[in-house]
Amino acid sequence: MAEKDSTTEFLKSAEEAAKAILETVKEDGFIQVFSHLDADGVAAAGVIGKALLRLDAKFRIRITQWVDEKIFAEILSEKPQMIILSDFGSGYINLLNDKLSDFKIAVLDHHQIVGEREKPNIIHVNPHSYGIDGARDISGAGVAYFVAKKIDEENVDLAPIAVVGALGDLQDKYDQRKLGGVNEKIVEDGVNAGLLTVERDLIFFGRETRPIHKTLASTTNPFIPGISGEEDKSLAFLASLDIKPKHGERWRALRDLSDDEKKRLCSALADYLLSKGLHIEVTNLIGHVYTLTREEPWTPIRDAREFAVLLNATGRMEKPSLGVSICMGDRGAALEAANKVLEEYRRTINKYLGWVMEKPERMKEMENIYVVYGESFINEKIVGAISSILATSLPNPEKPLIAYANVEEGGLAKFSARTIDIMTNKGVNLGEVMQVAAEKCLGNGGGHNIAAGAQVPIENVDAFIKVVDELVGKQLRGEKVRS
Ligand SMILES: [Mn+2]
């Protein structure tokens, strides 16, 4: 299919979902919305929520990690006139049809479709159905956005939220960390509506307005051990580079630096990280920066990447409704509360990363992988974020990383595995590795090729690590991992 046709076909399916929603609202029906617990899922829920609010619809939003029996039970007891699933659902089409065949369902997702694609009671909007790459060209929030825009053109003002969702799912995979594909159309909408600007600069949060040392101290991408979370050390670092933090009485922000100072800062950061046994591509520190121009300077929701971190934080710290209401336009008290959650999340991440780097036995290098032994120190809800951050800054970035934390109840360890994109070309598929290794160790696992997870009984942790190391080795040699 030509690119233009595929987008047209995709938009037609979004229109079908919009029509069904409008019809339900017209009949005064109750709509239950379920969305995925991550930054993109929270953004998707915010987009749909705002569109429904504007229609004066009866609806409720629930953010969850996956579709399970609890959700089916809730639906069966509430008997809504319509169900919307956003940023998940495409993996459950058969199950949804089995359990909820009497319900009208719209699935607005961008994950791989598992099993059948079409069922009479389900309107399925998914870019993969039209040959569009859902992994990098459009996110769950993006799919929700096109449906919202078909509901009412006024919803074009939700374009920045869809951009936040795409960045939350790390879809900035085009040259110089740019959003491409269908995402580019959403960016255009935002820019044309005067809500968004795109510039090329250092990608650090707060680069516009925050004092430089605070920006460096608060970054977790990259994580800079000894500087992240420590403003005084950050000031000393700047002094050692002869970069003045103040201009007269006024603190300078990153955007105030000259090109030469920016270059000096980037290469010094790379050297510093290398001295700590971490690796960063300087080119990754510079890229397309997406700014929500209507938001107040100094707030984390002015920068789309930082906005995504805030949404992720509300999810991980068990306050996703805060994130949803901010996406729906709430500011004031909601934003203040979300800021506190974000600070707490950053402190937690910094504490964990500092802990990992403190002693070599906490992150070990094996033949084919790195292993982080989070045990009972790292919270199992945060272990995924920790492995994502560490996987991008390893001394040998081509080795996948697995990190685990003990789950309080049940005697289980939760593993999270990450690697960088290029490893898929070299045969690595962590979803397959986690699945096969977990099966061998009486657990269960699975996921995407570069991000996956597993749960195994604690007593099998060492055996599991050994199997994962072997399986990754097999994949690198081009051998099959399933026997
Ligand atoms: Mn997503």
Side-chain angles (χ1 to χ4, degrees), residues 36 38 40-41 87 110-111 139-140 169:
H36 187 209
D38 68 5
D40 184 32
D87 197 35
H110 70 127
H111 290 94
S139 72
D169 266 3

Side-chain angles (χ1 to χ4, degrees), residues 89-107:
S90 292
Y92 307 94
I93 297 299
N94 291 346
L95 190 65
L96 289 168
N97 179 253
D98 280 356
K99 300 266 179 181
L100 305 169
S101 57
D102 295 337
F103 291 87
K104 181 159 66 168
I105 304 173
V107 172

Side-chain angles (χ1 to χ4, degrees), residues 5 159 251 355 393 463:
D5 295 341
W251 291 104
W355 180 84
S393 53

Side-chain angles (χ1 to χ4, degrees), residues 184-203:
E184 209 163 6
K185 298 194 192 315
I186 306 176
V187 171
E188 264 172 42
D189 279 359
V191 170
N192 291 338
L195 302 170
L196 203 63
T197 58
V198 188
E199 290 164 274
R200 237 180 44 95
D201 199 355
L202 293 167
I203 52 118

Side-chain angles (χ1 to χ4, degrees), residues 311-329:
L311 295 184
N312 194 32
T314 63
R316 299 297 155 194
M317 308 301 269
E318 294 171 27
K319 301 267 192 305
S321 57
L322 273 180
V324 175
S325 54
I326 287 166
C327 292
M328 289 174 66

